[in-house]
Structure formats: structure tokens, C-alpha cells
Amino acid sequence: MDRRQFLLALAATVPALTLGGKVFAAPANTPRFLLVFLRGGYDANNMLVPYASDFYYESRPSIALAKPDPSNPKSVRALDAHWGLAPVLANSMGPLWDKRQLAFIPFAGTDDLSRSHFETQDNIESGEAGEARSYASGFMGRLADVLRGSTPIAFTDALPLSFRGAGDVPNVSLKGGGKAVFDDRQSKILASMYAGTPLQAAATDGLQLRQEVAQDLQNEMVAASRGAVNARGFAQQGQRMATLMRDRFRLGFVDVGGWDTHVNQGGAEGQLANNLDNLGQGLAAFADGLGEAEWNNTVVVVVSEFGRTFRENGNKGTDHGHGTTYWVLGGKVHGGRIAGQQVAINAGSLLQNRDYPVLNNYRDVLGGMMQRMYGLSSADLTKVFPNAKPRDLQLV
């Protein structure tokens, strides 16, 4: 690498870890929480499909998914009398649904009506009510502070707003493949540069963490060459996140892009279906990588800044919407159900005649879930989600 690349990589390699720069394993009984953020506003209507609604098929003449039909592999899988699962998720998420380890919350989201990617993402990550928010603090950062010793990590290129305010949180990008950022010689040079400085421990731990991630990737490639099937994209990240979170981290954040499907979104096949397939495989890989015992102590929540318009547009895609569908997964999740407040799906129930209304505010839903998971007091919950009204959907 040239000098500029070397310095950029160096800057990204020195996470100032909490607890004096050391990475400590969390207590074995501490619940593990992973937030998966789908950036771009994914089309939940073609993931959790309201197949019992004639209005759905009228609104999506090109991209609607077929009603449940055992003879049609491109039809949705019925979850109940009203909702069906996209066929590309049948193999990855279907087994979790059958084991009641997966639930969906439709009509979920924020009170932000801007339909702006950045504004609504910031709204969610800050975790604060209304338009007033501080960019110095995110709700997962405040949760980490309340829990103390919860060992957070972000699987991102840069520290996300969600984790701001938590002190020193490592962030590790898992996009670079199986090659370490630095070889052994470069690592020794970097370590020597920080010797005797206040950053020595952080630099050493950061370099060690990246080397371990690279080794995990190499082990996966070796396994694949022996006949193991390796999923692409996010599925690979899911396996690596499980490796890191299994023993040492208890709060995690990862974001996945590519969900802004304005043009040629597709139905049972196409760009949205491909993204959902990768996402489902990644989540399944994460669960498998943790193993049954640790999966039973884990909750994963999948969110997006907003949903899409209920009607397809003139480009056979969908535009920015409002309400969306959240996923809740985990070994002890009370799943196999569609949770939260719902409404019949027709033209009259749409918000502004275009998209799902938000009936399940994310701060209230996550607040109720975290209160049950961690036994948070009202005062602690107020620190995490100021002015929230926790709703316990009894999902954990």
C-alpha cells in the first residue's frame, strides 16, 4: 500500500477500547443484543406480504408476490391467514419461524415524516423523541453506559451514531475479505510507534482484533475448499460476527446497504429478492455460528429507517415511505407470530394515501423489549430512550 493508504488504514486500526484498552469477555449470563440496520429503507411489503389483501395486488401489478401455492415455488409462504413470507426467505428464516424464534412487527417506525434517509436514520440512531436530538449520543451508547461492562462493538467502517456517547467503542469493518490490513512486519512497526504512549494498549488491542478477524476469514475459506457451502455478502459477515460476539461482545451493531429500490425492484426475483436472500442467509449464519446455547441468550432486531410506498411507481419500483416491518430473532424469542398493533390493509388505512402508518413506535417497542431483557429501571430506560412510553410486546 502507498503512504496515504497506510495512514488511512492506521487511523481505522486504533479503536480506543473501553476498560483501559483491554477487551474483556462479558459475563456468560449477560444477554447479547445485535441491531441490524438496513440503510436505504427496505420494501417490507414484499418481505412480509399481506397476501389476503386484494388492495396489495391492485397496487403492485408488476412486483406483487403470488399468494401461497404449494405448487408454485415463487409464491409466499403463509405465516397466518393474512401474512406471508417472501419465498427467498423460506429456507433461511422459515426454520426459525417454525421453531418460534422469529417474529415480525409491521407498522413499525418513527414519528419522522420527512421520508429523508439521513434525517430518519439519525432519528432512529439517536433514540430521542421528536426533532430535538443530540449528535453526541446514540441510544445504544446510552444503553452500554447503563449496562456497564456490556462490551459493545460496531461492525462498520466508522463508529455509528447509535454508539456515540458510550466512551471508547471498537468498530471493525468486515468488508475487506480475508487479507489482514497489515502484515506482521507492519503490525510490529505500528506497535512500536505507540510504545510508551497512552495509546499503546488501544493500538495493540486494535491490531490484534484485526488480525483475529483476518484469521477467521481464512479459516472460513479453508472450510469452503473442503466442501462447506459459504454464503456471499452479509452471510459471510454473519459468521464472522458470531465468532467475535460469542465470547467477548454483548452489544453489536451492523448496517447493510442497498435497499433504496426506486427502479426495477423485482418481485420473487430481482434486486430486492437478492438482498433479502443474502440478509436471511447472514442472519441464519449468525445464529448457527453462535451455537444453540449462545443463540438462546441472544436477541437480534432488524430495522430500517422507513418502509416504501405501498403502490409501485412507474419504474416498477417503490419510493420512500413511512411505516415498515421490524424483525426480532433469538433462541428464546417468543416468536412464530406477527406482533404489535395492526390495521386492515386497504386504501383507507394508508398514511397520506401512500404508505403504512406507524402504529408501533420503535422507541416504545425497543424500550419495552430492553426493559424486559435487562431489567432496566424506569430511570435507566429514560436515559436510553428519553420520554419513551415502553410497550412490552412480550417478545423476549
Side-chain angles (χ1 to χ4, degrees):
M1 61 178 69
D2 62 28
R3 183 175 182 276
R4 179 177 178 275
Q5 291 172 321
F6 185 84
L7 292 174
L8 287 173
L10 167 62
T13 304
V14 187
L17 303 180
T18 56
L19 304 178
K22 291 293 183 182
V23 179
F24 286 92
N29 61 346
T30 305
R32 183 183 293 100
F33 179 77
L34 175 67
L35 185 75
V36 181
F37 202 125
L38 309 184
R39 296 197 189 274
Y42 89 110
D43 181 31
N45 306 313
N46 267 20
M47 185 284 293
L48 184 67
V49 180
Y51 72 86
S53 168
D54 291 336
F55 181 59
Y56 168 76
Y57 292 97
E58 294 169 5
S59 300
R60 299 184 165 217
S62 301
I63 64 174
L65 301 184
K67 294 183 178 183
D69 179 356
S71 65
N72 180 6
K74 295 182 180 180
S75 66
V76 302
R77 175 193 161 165
L79 301 180
D80 61 18
H82 303 282
W83 301 96
L85 185 66
V88 293
L89 292 171
N91 290 334
S92 59
M93 295 292 99
L96 294 180
W97 177 269
D98 292 339
K99 290 187 286 189
R100 304 181 67 82
Q101 296 180 357
L102 168 64
F104 295 107
I105 309 172
F107 307 104
T110 78
D111 53 6
D112 190 312
L113 280 171
S114 68
R115 297 187 177 88
S116 161
H117 290 300
F118 303 116
E119 183 171 332
T120 315
Q121 287 175 15
D122 289 347
N123 184 301
I124 290 177
E125 292 194 67
S126 74
E128 296 175 299
E131 297 181 0
R133 68 181 65 98
S134 169
Y135 290 94
S137 174
F139 81 89
M140 290 194 68
R142 296 191 296 272
L143 177 64
D145 183 60
V146 164
L147 295 179
R148 305 188 187 283
S150 55
T151 54
I153 186 170
F155 299 98
T156 54
D157 290 337
L159 189 69
L161 172 57
S162 298
F163 267 136
R164 289 183 191 169
D168 302 327
V169 177
N171 62 279
V172 179
S173 175
L174 301 176
K175 298 177 183 178
K179 185 177 180 180
V181 177
F182 302 114
D183 59 28
D184 289 340
R185 183 187 65 83
Q186 292 171 328
S187 295
K188 290 178 181 178
I189 293 173
L190 286 173
S192 67
M193 289 170 59
Y194 287 92
T197 74
L199 292 176
Q200 178 177 350
T204 300
D205 289 338
L207 288 165
Q208 179 183 351
L209 185 58
R210 290 198 173 237
Q211 293 292 349
E212 289 177 2
V213 171
Q215 185 60 52
D216 290 338
L217 296 177
Q218 182 63 31
N219 291 342
E220 288 180 16
M221 285 186 272
V222 171
S225 68
R226 295 169 59 186
V229 177
N230 243 347
R232 297 179 180 178
F234 182 72
Q236 292 178 326
Q237 293 190 28
Q239 187 71 36
R240 296 196 288 275
M241 287 188 296
T243 299
L244 286 172
M245 291 196 71
R246 184 171 54 235
D247 299 321
R248 59 176 71 177
F249 297 105
R250 283 298 186 270
L251 289 179
F253 176 97
V254 63
D255 48 13
V256 184
W259 301 94
D260 198 18
T261 52
H262 288 281
V263 179
N264 294 327
Q265 175 177 298
E269 299 174 339
Q271 58 176 316
L272 176 63
N274 291 338
N275 281 351
L276 289 173
D277 186 20
N278 283 330
L279 176 64
Q281 290 188 54
L283 293 171
F286 181 74
D288 291 343
L290 286 175
E292 182 177 358
E294 291 304 320
W295 180 236
N296 285 339
N297 198 31
T298 299
V299 174
V300 179
V301 175
V302 181
V303 306
S304 192
E305 65 262 36
F306 46 61
R308 313 293 294 185
T309 50
F310 195 79
R311 300 177 181 87
E312 69 177 75
N313 61 28
N315 294 315
K316 298 183 179 180
T318 52
D319 298 318
H320 297 177
H322 189 47
T324 186
T325 297
Y326 291 171
W327 314 18
V328 182
L329 310 82
K332 293 297 184 181
V333 165
H334 302 150
R337 61 193 178 100
I338 312 300
Q341 185 178 347
Q342 301 169 42
V343 66
I345 297 174
N346 52 50
S349 66
L350 295 183
L351 173 71
Q352 299 175 350
N353 194 33
R354 61 177 280 154
D355 38 45
Y356 275 173
V358 170
L359 306 177
N360 302 291
N361 182 277
Y362 85 103
R363 291 169 8 94
D364 300 340
V365 169
L366 290 186
M369 184 183 304
M370 290 173 178
Q371 197 167 42
R372 177 179 282 262
M373 281 178 64
Y374 299 110
L376 299 181
S377 67
S378 296
D380 283 341
L381 184 60
T382 297
K383 292 179 183 177
V384 178
F385 290 115
N387 300 315
K389 300 175 181 179
R391 293 184 57 193
D392 185 2
L393 299 181
Q394 299 185 349
L395 288 170
V396 297

